[in-house]
Every structure is written in structure tokens, then in C-alpha cells.
Amino acid sequence: MKTNNQGNDTLNKKIKRIGVLTGGGDCPGLNAVIRAIVKTAHHEYDIEIIGFEDGYEGLIEGRYRKIDLRDASGILAQGGTILGTSNRADPFRFPVLQNDGYVYLDRSSQGVLNYEKLGLDALIAIGGDGTMGASAGMIEKGLPIIGVPKTIDNDLVGTDVTFGFDSAVITATDAVDKIHTTAQSHHRVMFVEVMGRYAGWLALCSGLAGGGDIILLPEFSYDIEAICDQVRTRNAQGKNFSIVVVGEGAKPVGGEMVVQRTVKHSPDAIRLGGVSHAVAAQVEELTNIECRVTILGHLLRGGSPSAFDRVLATRLGVEAVRMAAKGESGKLVVLKNNRMDSIPIAEVAGKIRTVTPDDNLVRTAQSLGICLGFAQGESPEKYYDPVQTAPRQGQEDN
Ligand code: F6P
């Protein structure tokens, strides 16, 4: 039995080596987590850290390297991930190139073998719902995994917020601020489309922060007439420009989301994008007011993490090591009421957290007279049509 220098964790078994990987789409703050993991492992526990390259791909293919204090130095403010990442590496449906193209094989046992060969005592998986889905399967195969939630979409269940989100909101808000001046100068309706997949958090928060007049979310189907009415009303009031912030998953009443492409090998193959072009074309035709579209895309995943994200990522990284050192497993470290907490990964796998009609942010937007795609005074419930589970399994396209 051993007690660490904080005096509060009694170790039954000395944990010596922990693996770490970053999976899914990158976001600001991943390096801050890696840094916190390496520093805590060194200063608190004298644990060695092995970093797998490109998420679960590195675990399956045996691509890894030792990450020491020198590697973890100077990366706090750096975007991306020094380990690389992949959103095509589901160990249970791993794409393998054979003579006549890709086949999908269950390589999860190879991952367990590589984990054991390295003499690891735990694995920290930093990722979103795809990575947690894969992790849930690997936990069932016996790997002691601690999850750390990341994503600009902020759509993981069980945590108040994911790191990466705040930085993306700041980037989107800055874009909306800049679009404002050209909207005013040219008296146009300017559309700013943001990522977020099936969740409207990014659109809603950057729309509120940037003073958007219309905010379209994936969770509420939009009525084109209501959007045009808002634009006309503003013009009648002498405000001869409008800003529309659009979540990429927005869809019309009775219609579908706009799929930009499908990605071969990806657990969720659908890539959204471009809906604002369709909405802008309709608004221009129906109102005779000039419209322009800006799609922010991957810009939102780049850049240095905000101070909030750096602190959150650091807290999560420290807590993940503490949990691993205590021998805990199968849990996702989360932020709950500004405290570090944890929930079983099995509880979050395959689920997504989306905006609900009773969310305070929805009510706040309505109180300000912001059009959420339907007429003021109409109930959000009537237009509520969310995607509730994360779709899985790759498709065979481009
Ligand atoms: O989940 C993060 C995210 O950036 C989504 O907002 C977006 O829909 C998707 O990833 C884009 O994925 P990719 O990087 O594969 O184009």
C-alpha cells in the first residue's frame, strides 16, 4: 500500500505506465490535456506516459512513443494535438486495405495485445462520442480506460461543457462581429454557418454573443416565411441589414439536413455543411434583399485554446491521471456544477446532448426577439425535431 504526496489516494497497486490517445476531430485544448497528464503523472505519481499516434489507429497498429516533460513543455497554448488524431479508427470496424479495396475487420483484440505488450496499467482516451463508443467496447474487452470529453460541438452527455467549445464560440463570435460591419455597409442579409453537427450549442452561443438576428439550430426545423418576416420587419424598422447564424445541421420544416459528403471508414460517415446557401437563396428570392454566405468550417477547430478551455482541459487531465492512479476504470471525467466528477463511459456511448426547447438559452434568445426559425410567440416544441443518438457505422462513399 502506498499513499501519494497529496495523502489522499491509497494505492493498492503501483501504477507505472499509462497510455494516452486523442481520437475524433481535433479541437483547441487537446495539448493542454496531454500536458496536464504528463506533468501530473511525473510530479504526483512518477508514472510514465506512452502516447499513441492518431487515436485508436496507433493502438491497433502499434504506433506509439514515450511522452516526457520535454514533449509536454510549451504546448499549453498550441491548437491541434501533438499525438495526431483520427476519426476513422473504430477498433471493432477497422478499415484495412486489401487487393480489391477496403474491408472492415474487428482489430480490437490486436489493440488489447499491444496494450499488454507495452505493460500499460491504464489508458486515457481523450475524445468525443465516437471515441467513447469505441472505448466502451474496449472496456468490455478488459482495458482499464479513463475518458476525457472534448469537442467544439459540446454535445457529450454527462458533462456541463466540453473543452474546445468555448474557443470555438470565441472564433465564431469574432467572425459574426466582423460580418456585422459589411452587413451594415451593404444593407445585406449575411449568413454565418457554423459547425456543431446535430447540436446547436455553437450556433446558439455564438449567435447570442455576436448579436445575431436569426439563429437556426439543428434541433428546430425552420420555416422560411418566419425568417423572411424577421428580415422584412427589421428593414421596416430601419435596420436594413440582418445577421443569420446557422448551425450546419439546420433543416426546413418537413425537410432534411444538407449532407456535404459522406466519409468512407468514419464511424459517423455524414458530413454536414452548406445549408445556409439554400436558405440564403430562398430569402433573397422572397425578400429581394441581397444575401451572402460565409461558412466557417474547420476554422472553428483551429487556433489557441481560450483561457477557459486551458483551465478546463488542465483540470480534466489532472483528474484523469488521479483516477487512473487510484485504479479506477470505465469512467469519463466530467465537469458538473464546476466540480470534477465522473460517470460510466457506457452511459455516454452512442448518445448526444442537444439543445432542448426548455433550455434557458432558447428562452433568452426568444426574449431578445431573436428568430429561431419560427415566428415569435410560436412554441419551440412545435418545431422541435432533434437527432438524439449519434449515428454509427461508415458508408462506402467518396
Ligand atoms: O465533431 C466536430 C466536427 O467539427 C463537427 O462540428 C463537424 O460536423 C465535423 O466534426 C467535421 O468533421 P471532419 O473534420 O471529418 O470534416
Side-chain angles (χ1 to χ4, degrees):
M1 297 267 269
K2 182 178 175 199
T3 305
N4 78 348
N5 63 12
Q6 285 205 330
N8 54 4
D9 299 336
T10 303
L11 307 181
N12 294 315
K13 174 191 172 215
K14 175 80 176 102
I15 303 284
K16 294 196 197 83
R17 269 189 147 189
I18 296 178
V20 59
L21 60 82
T22 51
D26 69 343
C27 74
L30 287 167
N31 285 325
V33 185
I34 296 169
R35 170 180 176 269
I37 288 171
V38 173
K39 288 195 174 221
T40 307
H42 176 82
H43 293 299
E44 294 272 347
Y45 301 100
D46 194 23
I47 291 172
E48 191 179 48
I49 297 295
I50 302 295
F52 289 102
E53 293 170 1
D54 304 330
Y56 274 110
E57 224 171 87
L59 179 68
I60 307 297
E61 292 173 351
R63 289 190 284 114
Y64 58 86
R65 62 182 191 267
K66 194 180 160 207
I67 312 280
D68 59 20
L69 284 179
R70 215 163 342 136
D71 301 306
S73 169
I75 62 171
L76 174 63
Q78 206 176 297
T81 159
I82 58 165
L83 289 175
T85 184
S86 168
N87 54 11
R88 304 173 167 216
D90 183 345
F92 297 89
R93 196 173 179 274
F94 199 79
V96 178
L97 188 58
Q98 291 192 343
N99 293 343
D100 42 0
Y102 278 95
V103 292
Y104 297 92
L105 304 178
D106 181 349
R107 303 287 312 277
S108 54
S109 299
Q110 185 62 48
V112 175
L113 205 67
N114 290 344
Y115 173 93
E116 283 167 354
K117 267 201 233 158
L118 278 165
L120 294 174
D121 300 301
L123 177 66
I124 298 176
I126 311 165
D129 61 74
T131 305
M132 292 314 139
S135 299
M138 295 305 278
I139 290 162
E140 274 181 26
K141 289 193 79 103
L143 291 200
I145 297 178
I146 299 291
V148 175
K150 67 89 222 186
T151 169
I152 63 162
D153 304 342
N154 199 28
D155 62 350
L156 270 184
V157 298
T159 187
D160 292 346
V161 66
T162 54
F163 73 84
F165 175 66
D166 184 64
S167 307
V169 170
I170 290 171
T171 302
T173 303
D174 183 47
V176 174
D177 286 349
K178 287 181 171 134
I179 292 285
H180 249 100
T181 54
T182 183
Q184 282 167 323
S185 309
H186 288 268
H187 320 304
R188 286 173 174 163
V189 182
M190 300 297 285
F191 289 75
V192 181
E193 183 175 313
V194 299
M195 283 184 163
R197 227 169 36 140
Y198 311 112
W201 301 110
L202 192 45
L204 188 49
C205 288
S206 57
L208 279 170
D213 307 300
I214 297 158
I215 304 174
L216 305 182
L217 308 177
E219 293 86 348
F220 304 103
S221 303
Y222 65 80
D223 168 6
I224 195 71
E225 279 305 333
I227 297 170
C228 292
D229 281 350
Q230 177 86 339
V231 169
R232 290 189 198 103
T233 305
R234 283 180 53 80
N235 274 42
Q237 291 167 344
K239 294 177 206 152
N240 52 7
F241 72 94
S242 291
I243 303 289
V244 190
V245 179
V246 185
E248 62 180 353
K251 57 184 178 309
V253 171
E256 299 293 327
M257 293 182 182
V258 173
V259 176
Q260 189 196 75
R261 58 182 290 182
T262 54
V263 180
K264 207 173 182 175
H265 318 316
S266 181
D268 177 4
I270 302 295
R271 292 297 178 276
L272 302 168
V275 60
S276 43
H277 282 296
V279 190
Q282 278 184 292
V283 170
E284 189 164 293
E285 197 187 314
L286 293 167
T287 63
N288 286 316
I289 300 170
E290 242 193 327
C291 297
R292 290 290 187 275
V293 170
T294 303
I295 299 179
L296 297 181
H298 290 84
L299 201 72
L300 296 163
R301 296 225 303 248
S304 185
S306 67
F308 177 87
D309 278 340
R310 291 181 202 186
V311 174
L312 175 57
T314 300
R315 290 175 76 185
L316 291 166
V318 169
E319 192 61 23
V321 176
R322 284 185 183 159
M323 286 169 61
K326 277 195 269 185
E328 293 189 34
S329 155
K331 292 184 183 166
L332 181 73
V333 196
V334 295
L335 185 73
K336 266 277 157 214
N337 304 323
N338 204 28
R339 296 173 74 93
M340 285 294 112
D341 203 341
S342 67
I343 51 169
I345 289 176
E347 269 180 31
V348 308
K351 295 183 193 147
I352 50 173
R353 189 176 70 92
T354 51
V355 178
T356 53
D358 62 350
D359 195 285
N360 177 259
L361 290 171
V362 171
R363 295 188 181 237
T364 302
Q366 286 193 298
S367 298
L368 294 182
I370 295 169
C371 170
L372 292 175
F374 43 87
Q376 280 290 330
E378 288 227 70
S379 149
E381 275 86 4
K382 187 173 159 198
Y383 295 86
Y384 185 53
D385 183 20
V387 172
Q388 266 154 340
T389 49
R392 308 269 301 157
Q393 293 315 317
Q395 294 178 8
E396 305 302 317
D397 256 317
N398 77 74

